[in-house]
Amino acid sequence: MAYFIRGFDLITTKGLKRFVIIPVLANLILFSLAVMWLVDRMTVWMQGIMDWLPGYFQWLEYLLWPLFVVVILLTFGLLFNTLTNWIAAPFNGLLAEKVERHLTGQTIDDSGVLDIVKDTPRTLAREFQKLLYFIPRALGFFMLALLLPVVGQIIWLCWTAWMMAVQYLDYPFDNHKLSFNHMRSQLGQQRGKSFSFGAIVALVTMVPFINFIVMPVAICGATALWVDHYREPSLRHKS
């Protein structure tokens, strides 16, 4: 949580604020449209889920309703973040680079804006790699969330937290051209930090108005977390 809060300080730092504008605008426009659609559909989905459950689970209705609401909101947040990160991926990588430079005073190879633009195909390929990692696992865990009351929803919440960590901590790893598998390995070695950071990001995506700036805040916080805990071992590995 401390690193996510630190992200709020970093987005207002002189020299970094201008790199926050595009991620915020992308988030604001897409989120406004997506929320209007979600509000229209959510009651229908919830009633459909309750009608689909076997009769012997009806006694759990008061417990399942809030759990299903949280699952739907977190699923929406996860899918929405995936979409907006696809669109803003080059700018997100640039923001992560500038934050790292601010925190360490050291530049990253290919650090110019033109080089970031040239790197756009590679950046989008990395987002596609995340998507390939996400889809089959998400389908499996989502089925568990539907079929296993309480336990399935808890598993899905943990999965959502993990994917939020993967999504945002990957930017500084990718800026140093460290592989996706290496990034996952490093996050797994410090699973507590990864899960707790991802969990707070996932929860804040459900908070009205603050969720408009979640993306740049999470990128800044994730980069600070990278600098303090993942950077040194990862660069040693690369060398």
Side-chain angles (χ1 to χ4, degrees):
M1 185 179 295
Y3 282 99
F4 186 80
I5 293 171
R6 191 175 177 187
F8 281 97
D9 292 330
L10 287 168
I11 64 170
T12 60
T13 300
K14 183 178 180 180
L16 295 178
K17 288 186 285 189
R18 64 180 179 273
F19 298 105
V20 174
I21 294 174
I22 292 179
V24 167
L25 287 177
N27 212 30
L28 179 61
I29 294 169
L30 292 173
F31 194 86
S32 299
L33 294 173
V35 164
M36 288 189 290
W37 177 79
L38 180 66
V39 169
D40 181 62
R41 300 303 304 167
M42 191 165 180
T43 302
V44 176
W45 290 342
M46 288 298 304
Q47 191 57 52
I49 290 171
M50 297 308 301
D51 291 342
W52 174 80
L53 281 174
Y56 51 81
F57 278 136
Q58 294 303 313
W59 65 276
L60 285 173
E61 181 174 353
Y62 292 107
L63 178 62
L64 292 176
W65 261 89
L67 280 174
F68 277 129
V69 168
V70 171
V71 166
I72 289 174
L73 289 175
L74 286 177
T75 302
F76 166 75
L78 185 56
L79 295 175
F80 172 78
N81 271 274
T82 300
L83 173 62
T84 53
N85 277 290
W86 263 84
I87 295 172
F91 303 102
N92 292 345
L94 179 59
L95 175 59
E97 177 191 336
K98 300 304 180 184
V99 172
E100 183 173 346
R101 180 185 296 184
H102 169 74
L103 294 174
T104 65
Q106 300 175 15
T107 60
I108 302 173
D109 294 337
D110 302 327
S111 59
V113 175
L114 181 59
D115 292 307
I116 294 295
V117 173
K118 290 178 180 178
D119 259 359
T120 296
R122 180 186 61 80
T123 303
L124 293 178
R126 183 72 162 225
E127 292 298 318
F128 185 67
Q129 192 173 10
K130 292 180 199 174
L131 196 62
L132 290 179
Y133 173 75
F134 166 72
I135 289 176
R137 293 166 177 82
L139 290 175
F141 289 131
F142 191 69
M143 289 303 297
L144 287 177
L146 293 178
L147 298 174
L148 293 177
V150 184
V151 175
Q153 286 88 57
I154 292 173
I155 292 173
W156 177 256
L157 300 182
C158 292
W159 164 246
T160 302
W162 172 252
M163 275 310 302
M164 288 294 188
V166 167
Q167 179 64 63
Y168 289 108
L169 279 161
D170 185 53
Y171 288 114
F173 279 93
D174 186 42
N175 281 341
H176 287 275
K177 298 182 175 59
L178 292 158
S179 73
F180 185 71
N181 288 336
H182 171 79
M183 179 272 299
R184 286 171 48 207
S185 173
Q186 286 293 301
L187 266 58
Q189 289 177 28
Q190 301 194 54
R191 191 170 283 109
K193 291 183 178 68
S194 305
F195 264 109
S196 57
F197 180 79
I200 189 64
V201 174
L203 290 173
V204 174
T205 59
M206 298 189 294
V207 179
F209 304 111
I210 294 179
N211 48 27
F212 291 145
I213 59 171
V214 162
M215 185 162 60
V217 169
I219 292 167
C220 292
T223 305
L225 183 58
W226 146 269
V227 168
D228 289 349
H229 297 283
Y230 300 99
R231 187 177 190 271
E232 185 177 346
S234 294
L235 296 186
R236 281 202 309 265
H237 170 85
K238 183 179 179 181
S239 61

